[in-house]
Amino acid sequence: NYRCRSAFKLLEIDDKYTLLKPGFNAIDCGAAPGAWSQLAVHRVNSTAANGEFPRGIVVGIDLLHIAPLDGAHFLSNHDITDSVTHAKLLELLPGAQAHVIMSDMAPNASGFKEMDHEKLITMSLSLIDLAEKVLQTGGSLICKYWDGALAHQLQQKLSAVFRDVRTVKPKASRKESSELFFLARSYRKNKIV
Ligand code: SAM
């Protein structure tokens, strides 16, 4: 049982694109209440439930408290845009390297669509700084955004450092919502944005 229905969006995306593999290190940004992390624990085999496959790591971060979950390290009450959080992540990851960064982050909705959109894009841009610190070459990033005027800025910045960037809308995401995801694959380091 998942802690939240949002798991089904990641499930759908991961079934199609196989971002999470046994042995992978995954970072879950905006992880509370923890449903994406639950799926990630299973897919990267971070509890070593399957002894025949390598064991991965899941680290979840949220401003809120996240209830403990077997197989996951949680940084509760941490801001993903803060460099202190980035430093802690580096310590938690073996070799300071992640294979996947996932973000289902969302600011508290103000009700003003354009303002919420801008806030989420600004927060998501910090994921590119995080990638520069921890994402290994060839790694991938999945990140939620609300469609709007600044989406192309985020897309451009992602395209400068990932070989393949596309927009995905899982069926589990409500049709009438402006919620979309950028799926960015094949990270290449050291490209100037
Ligand atoms: N993916 C989660 C799951 O499946 O359980 C649901 C995530 S929820 C839609 C969005 C989360 O983003 C909220 O819990 C919120 O606290 C968190 N968030 C928003 N801004 C954040 C920030 N700057 N740093 C960390 N988490 C943040």
Side-chain angles (χ1 to χ4, degrees):
N1 269 6
Y2 292 112
R3 294 178 179 183
C4 177
R5 293 197 51 81
S6 54
F8 296 104
K9 299 176 213 166
L10 181 62
L11 187 72
E12 226 181 291
I13 294 169
D14 196 54
D15 279 349
K16 182 156 180 193
Y17 297 102
T18 328
L19 306 170
L20 300 164
K21 296 179 186 166
F24 273 18
N25 303 334
I27 302 176
D28 183 7
C29 305
W36 278 30
S37 286
Q38 286 178 292
L39 178 66
V41 162
H42 182 65
R43 297 245 156 136
V44 308
N45 195 36
S46 63
T47 57
N50 189 332
E52 288 169 25
F53 288 124
R55 178 179 197 158
I57 283 182
V58 176
V59 185
I61 303 106
D62 206 288
L63 292 173
L64 304 177
H65 177 73
I66 321 165
L69 171 68
D70 221 20
H73 302 265
F74 286 141
L75 296 174
S76 291
N77 312 115
H78 278 72
D79 186 337
I80 195 64
T81 65
D82 187 343
S83 59
V84 172
T85 306
H86 295 185
K88 288 196 184 172
L89 269 170
L90 283 170
E91 279 174 26
L92 281 171
L93 296 165
Q97 294 278 290
H99 302 82
V100 187
I101 297 175
M102 327 184 271
S103 170
D104 191 27
M105 274 196 299
N108 283 330
S110 70
F112 297 99
K113 214 180 154 199
E114 203 51 28
M115 209 164 105
D116 292 338
H117 156 73
E118 283 176 21
K119 204 162 172 197
L120 181 51
I121 295 286
T122 306
M123 282 161 56
S124 304
L125 286 170
S126 77
L127 296 172
I128 296 175
D129 300 329
L130 177 64
E132 199 180 323
K133 291 176 189 158
V134 305
L135 193 61
Q136 71 169 44
T137 304
S140 44
L141 182 149
I142 177 87
C143 117
K144 173 167 79 191
Y145 68 100
W146 291 318
D147 205 15
L150 300 184
H152 74 280
Q153 270 187 29
L154 178 58
Q155 179 159 27
Q156 267 174 6
K157 297 219 162 152
L158 288 170
S159 297
V161 288
F162 288 89
R163 251 180 247 290
D164 179 11
V165 178
R166 62 184 69 194
T167 294
V168 295
K169 172 88 175 170
K171 289 195 191 75
S173 170
R174 289 181 303 119
K175 252 205 209 101
E176 60 279 13
S177 124
S178 67
E179 172 183 84
L180 293 167
F181 293 83
F182 279 128
L183 171 62
R185 291 180 297 173
S186 297
Y187 184 63
R188 37 184 180 176
K189 282 198 186 306
N190 306 324
K191 255 294 207 127
I192 292 158
V193 184

